[in-house]
Amino acid sequence: MVRHKHRYIVLEISEIGGSPTSPLKIREYSIYKSIQSHIQTQHGDFGVAATRAGFMAKYLNEHTRIAVIRCRRGSYKFVSSVIPLIRKIDEKTVVVNILYVGATIRKSFFFIRNYQQKKLDEYCVSLKTDEERNRLKEAMLNFDSIFSKL
């Protein structure tokens, strides 16, 4: 049996023209299809064939707009080269930024936890009650959807 090495790419998806406080209603499959279509246009059939095996969108938090995608180590450059070119996902105009590329999902979630903790500290300055802070913390640091898939 062969061990397949992967790369986990942490993305930040920002909707243009949308409210920054409203949840981002995008499915993980839509991210996958958008990246695959851009790989097709930029790298052709070879790029699609190289990235198809092992490529999937693993996690999407609609409140923090953070997503994690997984791809094989040999083809992650195809994937990472087209991510900044994505402008539409599910008929929504978006800007997609790469925040982190890691070799393990564990390190990727350590990065996400630290990144979201910094964002939480920035947002908590404007909140008045502890109840609001606790609800925001629950929404930002919720990783239950990814751990149920593992």
Side-chain angles (χ1 to χ4, degrees):
M1 182 160 195
V2 177
R3 178 175 174 250
H4 296 288
K5 296 182 180 180
H6 293 101
R7 291 292 177 255
Y8 295 89
I9 303 172
V10 178
L11 308 173
E12 180 181 39
I13 303 170
S14 303
E15 185 178 8
I16 296 175
S19 172
T21 58
S22 66
L24 184 66
K25 298 292 184 185
I26 293 177
R27 297 175 302 148
E28 295 164 351
Y29 183 72
S30 301
I31 296 170
Y32 169 83
K33 291 303 286 180
S34 179
I35 292 172
Q36 281 291 334
S37 68
H38 277 79
I39 289 172
Q40 176 68 41
T41 59
Q42 295 296 317
H43 301 291
D45 291 336
F46 177 76
V48 171
T51 58
R52 185 161 297 182
F55 177 65
M56 68 182 301
K58 294 286 285 181
Y59 170 76
L60 174 65
N61 188 329
E62 58 187 26
H63 297 288
T64 60
R65 299 159 188 241
I66 301 288
V68 177
I69 59 172
R70 182 187 77 186
C71 57
R72 293 240 177 114
R73 184 183 70 171
S75 62
Y76 85 94
K77 289 187 180 183
F78 288 126
V79 176
S80 64
S81 68
V82 299
I83 288 174
L85 304 175
I86 296 173
R87 295 290 175 244
K88 280 201 173 279
I89 300 175
D90 272 351
E91 303 301 321
K92 295 183 182 193
T93 307
V94 297
V95 175
V96 182
N97 297 318
I98 298 174
L99 297 177
Y100 178 76
V101 178
T104 65
I105 197 163
R106 182 175 181 221
K107 290 292 185 182
S108 298
F109 278 106
F110 282 145
F111 173 81
I112 292 172
R113 186 181 64 202
N114 293 337
Y115 180 79
Q116 289 179 347
Q117 189 66 44
K118 288 177 190 174
K119 289 287 189 182
L120 181 67
D121 293 340
E122 291 174 12
Y123 294 148
C124 282
V125 172
S126 63
L127 299 177
K128 294 179 176 48
T129 65
D130 286 334
E131 181 181 326
E132 290 175 336
R133 288 185 185 106
N134 289 336
R135 277 190 286 150
L136 181 63
K137 185 175 183 177
E138 176 69 27
M140 289 184 82
L141 301 177
N142 185 8
F143 295 122
D144 292 339
S145 64
I146 187 64
F147 292 129
S148 65
K149 293 179 184 178
L150 294 178

